[in-house]
Amino acid sequence: MSRSPDLLALLKQYFGYATFRPLQEEIIRDALVGRDVLALLPTGGGKSLCFQLPALARDGLTVVVSPLIALMKDQVDALQASGVPATFLNSSLAADESRARLRGLHNGEFRLLYAAPERLMLSGMLADLQCWGVNLIAIDEAHCISEWGHDFRPEYRQLAQLRELFPQVPFMALTATATERVREDIVKQLKLREPARYVASFNRPNLTYRVSAKTGAYGQVLDFLRAHPRDSGIIYCQARKTTESLAEKLRADGIKAAPYHAEIAKDERSGNQEAFLRDEVRVICATIAFGMGINKPNVRFVIHYDLPKNIEGYYQETGRAGRDGLPSECVLLFSPGDVQKYLGFISEKPPSEQVIAREQLSQMVHYAECSGCRRVELLAYFGEESAGENCGACDNCLTPRATFDGTVAAQKFMSCVFRIRQAGSFGVGLNHIVEVLTGAQSERVLKWGHEKLTTYNIGREHTRSEWAAIGRELIRLGYLRQTTDKFPVVELTNEGRAILTARTKVTLTKPVAAPDKVVSHVGEITCDELLFEKLRRLRKELADARAVPSYIIFSDVSLRQMARLYPQTEAEFSRISGVGASKLRDFGAQFLEEIAAHLRANPKQIFADTSFTQKPSTPPRGKLTETVVATLHYWRSGRTIEDIARLRDVKPTTIYGHLADAADAGEAIDLDQVMTADQQTRAAKAFYQFGWGNLTGVKESLPDLDYGPLRLFRAVKQRRPS
């Protein structure tokens, strides 16, 4: 697709970027020609720009439906700092301020208006909208309109009336996560007309996913925070009391922390949120009430103190880390006790909700206990195929869990299931089987005479939690199945009967262990850390003076590039990612002076290519996946990238990914077949400037090159020696 110089010029002028993120340009173009759009972009994927840039590309008013007051203020503050005329209307405004903004809207002074659905649907507001030249209606967090969504809000249903009032105005519905069912419901409820549909990859390569055995939760959290003394993050807890007690303990240990949950007084809750956004509080201990509308790009970690209820919620919550693209950690503390606690909660739900809740919990437990790549598991949940089997950025890929010969354990467990079923006409749950194996004298064991079984007390070599983990793995392997009834029972499958009869060897994975040391990965920008800290302090001073969060001034990405490249002139400073015309005018002189003062007292640091974090670990040589091998075969037969993509019914970017995996594994790939000599020279210079780990920075500096060729170039140049 050819690119409009005007759009790119607007992108650089107002937002400081030289190129679009994936799908942004396509979405923007559809909106500008008047087409309805449904866009599913993951957290941090640049949803807001999809309606902000069209608002600048033509006259008229873009109306943005936003569910949270904090989100409106945050986005409007950021837009105004970038020189964009934007405003919001909500209940937080005094009457005189609200009237002043309404006058500005009548006078055509604004390009964007943010408002909640309740405010928009007031009769007086609807009448005003029809006088303001509305050219686009964007519904943010569009999943709120669906009863099947994870955050349904009945007031969103009223928005369908806007279609009747504005039949010729294009609608744009945006969300970070939605199942196919929710997407169809969004289209139906908003009455979208043959919308262009965009679903971006759910992969967040800068996030490292870890699951650790919960062996002493508070101590584990404290150790993590002390190992990351400058980082801010979120700790999600299931219970409101836990958020308060955890925050109190952390404060007693010298860590600035605050709680957040729905029952904290509104003023205190808002104050804690604002303190977190402004980096006055480093850690927020929160329930799931804290999340939507939190646009803090430098959240460096998300810790789940308790087991999330479902994969979708977990993905949403971990997605609040690393929105700026820099490396960030996602840690889940897992305990089998949490599983039993949730099963108790589920039993109190209406019968119609229990089956779904148990299925969702089972998926979450499977993720926590799986031995394979966690990224593959997450992407598979959302129906997305991963390009490789080793992401290099989860605990299982970085430090594969040990396996053991579980034949005896599997035989004992499955025999116990068989004997219990043989002794009566009913099945039992996982916990009961564990009780029989470990010789428990519980009421149910004795009532049903299961202490007389030959499998009673034969499992003394493992603890109850270990047996429970073994049972769940046998379920995952397909040797056992667990029903979805109100009282789920465990049964032998045909595969399990065959294993039991033939005494086939069974290999099992050891349970999750305590956390390993943190390793860096994709997205890291090595820089002059002393200068970076000086620039952070300057940013905080400027932000406090304007009563806005620090990231409104510049992101951590921008500061790290400044502390690596040492810009000396306005022209050099303007080439930093995130520096638009307005920010160059407002802040350029202060930051340039800070950099110059630093260089008067300190020498420049030289950053070789290797000072950047390399690409994540890759599949070992000789262990390419079948799909990569197939692509490699076509490639060596002389076919082009486009030819292979058509043959395999995938996108060209996927084929580039396959070839990059092959190069990582040591296969020879000729770059001359996909890039000109000039393109290779410019790519080499860009990677030297921005670092091998900062693909986004490289891409922004080379707008004529797509991510696919750049990924392949990096893989070839970093290929491990034979």
Side-chain angles (χ1 to χ4, degrees), residues 409-567:
Q411 289 284 331
K412 287 183 177 181
F413 200 102
M414 291 190 291
S415 294
C416 193
V417 174
F418 177 79
R419 295 300 179 192
I420 291 173
R421 175 65 81 167
Q422 190 182 48
S425 59
F426 58 90
V428 298
L430 184 69
N431 285 342
H432 188 85
I433 299 165
V434 172
E435 287 181 346
V436 174
L437 283 168
T438 55
Q441 294 189 330
S442 66
E443 180 182 349
R444 290 183 300 175
V445 169
L446 299 177
K447 175 184 176 182
W448 294 333
H450 290 168
E451 82 282 6
K452 301 173 183 176
L453 297 174
T454 56
T455 53
Y456 181 76
N457 203 27
I458 64 171
R460 287 168 291 182
E461 70 273 28
H462 295 295
T463 65
R464 289 191 183 183
S465 63
E466 289 171 344
W467 275 118
I470 289 169
R472 288 191 293 269
E473 185 162 13
L474 292 172
I475 293 171
R476 288 199 304 277
L477 292 171
Y479 303 146
L480 299 171
R481 67 178 289 266
Q482 187 168 249
T483 67
T484 57
D485 307 322
K486 181 178 180 182
F487 300 105
V489 303
V490 175
E491 302 172 338
L492 274 169
T493 64
N494 291 334
E495 292 84 352
R497 292 180 185 276
I499 291 288
L500 188 60
T501 303
R503 298 187 176 275
T504 306
K505 182 178 179 180
V506 176
T507 300
L508 298 176
T509 307
K510 291 186 177 180
V512 293
D516 298 314
K517 65 178 183 179
V518 176
V519 298
S520 49
H521 60 100
V522 167
E524 185 174 4
I525 302 176
T526 306
C527 67
D528 186 328
E529 294 293 339
L530 177 60
L531 176 57
F532 176 64
E533 285 303 311
K534 292 178 179 178
L535 297 175
R536 278 185 15 147
R537 286 196 294 271
L538 174 60
R539 180 180 65 177
K540 183 71 165 63
E541 292 171 5
L542 294 170
D544 288 347
R546 289 161 175 75
V548 297
S550 294
Y551 58 81
I552 297 293
I553 307 299
F554 285 121
S555 70
D556 280 6
V557 172
S558 299
L559 296 192
R560 286 196 166 274
Q561 287 188 10
M562 294 177 202
R564 178 180 174 90
L565 302 177
Y566 302 101

